[in-house]
Amino acid sequence: MTKSPNFLFIMTDQHRSDWLGCTGHPVVKTPNIDALAAAGTVFDDFHVASPICMPNRASFMTGRMPSLHGLRHNGCTLPLRANTFVDVLATAGYRTATIGKSHLQPFFDGRPPRAQDLENRPIAEAWKPEHGSFEEEQPERFAGPEDYDVKVPYYGYQHVDLATGHGDRCGGHYQQWFRRTCPDWQAMSDPKNELEHSYTCPQAYRTPIPEELYPTHWIADRAIDYLHAQADQPDPFFTFVSFPDPHHPFNPPGKYWDMYSPDDFDPDLPFEAHQNPSPPMQFINDRFEKGLGPEIPQSAFRATRQHLREAMALTAGMITMIDDQVGRIVAALKETGHYDNTIIVFNSDHGDYLGDFDMLLKGALPLRSVTQVPLIWSDPSHETVARTAALASTLDLSASILDRAGLAPYHGIQGKSFLPSLTSDTPHRDDLFMEYNDGGSRLGFQPPARVRSLRNKDWRFTTYLGQAWGELYALASDPRETRNLWDDPAYASVKAELSLRMIDHLTAQMDESPRAVRRA
């Protein structure tokens, strides 16, 4: 009887696809991730279901679009009644663990202002509140000295080590460990004790926390401990290792701070390169010209050329630190004797504009830089192609993992297994459907942005709810999306054809689960 394969799934946060050595970046050093690529398959056209943290992570877990699984935008929660592919693995006898950033429930304690138009209604919302704990990642859970026991199974995970938040001030189990381990943890966490530096980029600061106490290192330590604990276990495992970096703030610790110089980087797609900027781009540029920064720390903004270079250098430092930890984790896997039966997957939850049209971070504009993310599938026991041009989505990861494990997915999953594309030039999808829903009014959108986008090998077609404008880019001739053809009459027939394809995808967003129990 063939033994079921193990899975080691490594995810980064806010990491665009072209910022790895194996995907062509000329500066960033990622030898350990490159080694995974050399032993497996690199996807050259892999995109998210939604270019923002929580909705796309929930799409990864469920194989369903945000409008179906319910975690529509940051600040919502994945319903506890939602099945995940990890639930399927656990039911089939897999040992399951999540280590690092989960973000399937909110981890900030601030609440958005309650809509005034809901205040005086007898019933405020269309759905009755779901019962259960939706505060498992909240700061108060981790205020005590001893590790908080997250209620398990946590969306299918039996073992949970959480690092919530970003940068050097992550919360969760990491913060509890940090307080126990570091005698002067309060001073280390005090902004007054940040180390001196010459950078002026927004959200860039030099942390006094050393490399071995930084969240990236802690996550690798916990992953290594978990893998060693599985060495003699007979059942297969699925281990999810999720790093909160290279997400802002820009604060790689120790040697990673100045590992790269801003002079090493050349932002080569300025705002002026766009021939007809969209209203959100103009909004961002207007704030820039008035000397205003982002509306909130998480919102996209335009930066100066020097600030872009600094952000790039610090992002590169965070990526190389992750790469070093990936090397440690893979070495530990080999020590356990499970390497030859373990599929290693490397991926990210979404990208970052990181200089595109002088912008940083992410937002409602679904440029390639925020929707295309790395995907490396390394399967030591199966020979696969070195690279694939197959168009694939975050939605497809759950179906592909279950397929490789020999397990059927649940009814209602939207993902499709891409395993055939790993062994041949078999096409996977003709086009991809993506959605973005904002939790607040930003970038000039009133009410909050509702964005639907269609992407194939030739076109990117995007609509914005309630807006007379949209976006149409000819990717074959304009891969960097610098000329919007939406209002060009020469492309009216293309726009009409893509509109019909979009309608087809929108029609498919009816939940097929659960099935009817009677004919009528």
Side-chain angles (χ1 to χ4, degrees), residues 316-499:
M318 289 189 279
I319 292 171
T320 296
M321 182 176 191
I322 291 169
D323 183 81
D324 286 344
Q325 305 314 305
V326 168
R328 294 178 60 223
I329 294 169
V330 173
L333 178 64
K334 291 179 178 178
E335 290 170 2
T336 67
H338 287 304
Y339 175 81
D340 290 335
N341 192 41
T342 301
I343 293 109
I344 305 176
V345 187
F346 182 88
N347 182 227
S348 187
D349 63 350
H350 58 81
D352 189 307
Y353 296 129
L354 202 55
D356 280 9
F357 305 113
D358 293 338
M359 295 188 295
L360 285 175
L361 311 189
K362 58 188 180 291
L365 296 165
L367 298 174
R368 182 186 293 272
S369 50
V370 295
T371 69
Q372 186 175 347
V373 291
L375 179 64
I376 300 167
W377 180 283
S378 181
D379 187 343
S381 62
H382 282 60
E383 187 173 340
T384 61
V385 298
R387 305 189 85 90
T388 176
L391 196 61
S393 164
T394 297
L395 286 183
D396 302 324
L397 287 166
S398 54
S400 303
I401 290 168
L402 292 177
D403 188 9
R404 183 63 182 84
L407 300 171
Y410 38 76
H411 178 63
I413 199 168
Q414 294 176 297
K416 296 169 50 180
S417 173
F418 52 60
L419 292 193
S421 298
L422 296 175
T423 55
S424 68
D425 58 358
T426 303
H428 181 59
R429 289 184 180 270
D430 294 329
D431 46 37
L432 297 178
F433 175 69
M434 291 175 270
E435 66 177 69
Y436 175 90
N437 308 298
D438 209 331
S441 295
R442 286 179 275 275
L443 305 187
F445 286 100
Q446 291 284 351
R450 300 290 181 261
V451 187
R452 300 296 180 266
S453 197
L454 188 74
R455 177 180 283 271
N456 58 34
K457 292 294 185 181
D458 297 315
W459 305 97
R460 197 257 285 179
F461 175 81
T462 304
T463 62
Y464 298 81
L465 180 64
Q467 305 299 317
W469 60 275
E471 291 181 294
L472 175 65
Y473 293 96
L475 300 179
S477 59
D478 182 23
R480 305 192 80 179
E481 300 166 295
T482 63
R483 182 187 172 206
N484 185 4
L485 303 172
W486 183 268
D487 291 324
D488 191 329
Y491 294 89
S493 61
V494 173
K495 194 162 77 168
E497 180 183 348
L498 293 171
S499 295

Side-chain angles (χ1 to χ4, degrees), residues 38 46 86 144 180 238-239 258 277 333 364 413 435 438:
F46 187 90
V86 184
R180 292 194 303 267
F238 178 87
T239 306
D258 50 11
L333 178 64
I413 199 168
E435 66 177 69
D438 209 331

